[in-house]
Amino acid sequence: ALDALVFAEAAVAAGLPPGVLNLVSGGPAVGACLVSHPGVDKVAFTGSTATGRLVAETCGRLMRPVTLELG
């Protein structure tokens, strides 16, 4: 979404070090790859309850910390 891109640009302009904030846009396939990728140490998801359940199931199976903000 455009607001996320503006936020990321503001973070860079404010001097946030590389890697502190990573914005990755994409659909369900991209999200599933990110949540299950072995290089991801923690997942924070904001979105629908249905998708949150899928994220929680994947993170639970992988014993990966997750924060969900659903609604």
Side-chain angles (χ1 to χ4, degrees), residues 5 8 11 17 19 22 29 35 37-38 42 44 46-48 55-56 61 63 68 70-71:
L5 292 173
N22 298 295
V35 169
H37 192 280
K42 183 184 188 308
T46 301
S48 72
V55 171
R61 189 173 58 255
M63 299 297 293
L68 302 173
L70 309 176

Side-chain angles (χ1 to χ4, degrees), residues 6-17 21:
V6 171
F7 179 79
E9 288 174 356
V12 170
L16 199 66
L21 173 68

